[in-house]
Amino acid sequence: ATIVQSYLLLITMPMGGLTLGTQPVVSFNYGAGNAARIKRAMKSIVGLCLAFCGLMTVVTYTLSPVFVRLFTQSPELIDRSVGYIKVFTAMILPLAIQYPLVDETTALGHVRLALFCSLFRKTVFLACLLLLPALVSAEATFLSEPIADAVAATVTTILFLHFFPGFVAPRSGAPAQKKNRPPPRCLRGGLFSCRQDQCSLRWHFLGVTQVPSAMATTMGSSRKSAAESLMSGRGTATLRASNFILREVLPMCVISP
């Protein structure tokens, strides 16, 4: 069982990396309302997974003995392990559909459906794992994986084809993102207070009620220039202002969208 499970990881780990790595592509286009590109991405991801699993099927029937010899040199164990590997990975082509559909459903923001499909496969696998040895034989345990893969991939495909149009339809007419974005949080309040074409500094944290004329700056001035002007003073006020900028202002400027 250890050898068989280790061989299955050669298939599932790269495929999981492929589907998880392409989630940002689907999520970005979902947010942009580009339904056509989402469909093309889904087809490409499923196609890559099918191609990879098809290649691994050929490897299973040709090179699996080489992999088994890394664990044991016993001819009997090699023969039995190779046979079990072929049974255990018999339905990796349906698995190549299950993986991208579940992961890309998560990328579309519908975690509940993705979680159901994932847990459904695990439930079918666990049920077969408990029932097959009692009803058939111990060796029938290795049929748990192909049964779970085939059943789960069928259910997931049906659910995805049913719900996918409803996922992308509301986003198809989504307006493009505006170029004129609101100013960062640090420019909307606290340290800076914007008034039409002027951006004046407020030093409430320093106890100063009137803004020095040297600190007045236009909206087009950079935050760096304002910070340099703020730190141009001397004494305790300068130290307090510098600490405030480093501790509070700059992190907000970086994190705020």
Side-chain angles (χ1 to χ4, degrees), residues 4 10 13-14 36-37 53 60 77 79 102 106 108 115 125 128 138-139 151-152 163 184 195 202 213 222 240-241 247:
V4 174
L10 294 179
M13 293 300 288
R37 184 170 291 180
C53 287
T60 299
L77 290 178
D79 292 338
V102 171
T106 304
L108 293 174
L115 182 62
F125 177 78
C128 294
E139 292 184 348
V151 174
F163 288 106
R195 294 293 184 270
R202 295 191 302 178
S213 58
S222 64
R240 294 176 62 184
R247 186 179 65 253

Side-chain angles (χ1 to χ4, degrees), residues 122-141:
K122 301 298 189 298
T123 303
V124 174
F125 177 78
L126 181 61
C128 294
L129 200 64
L130 297 175
L131 295 176
L132 289 178
L135 299 177
V136 185
S137 64
E139 292 184 348
T141 305

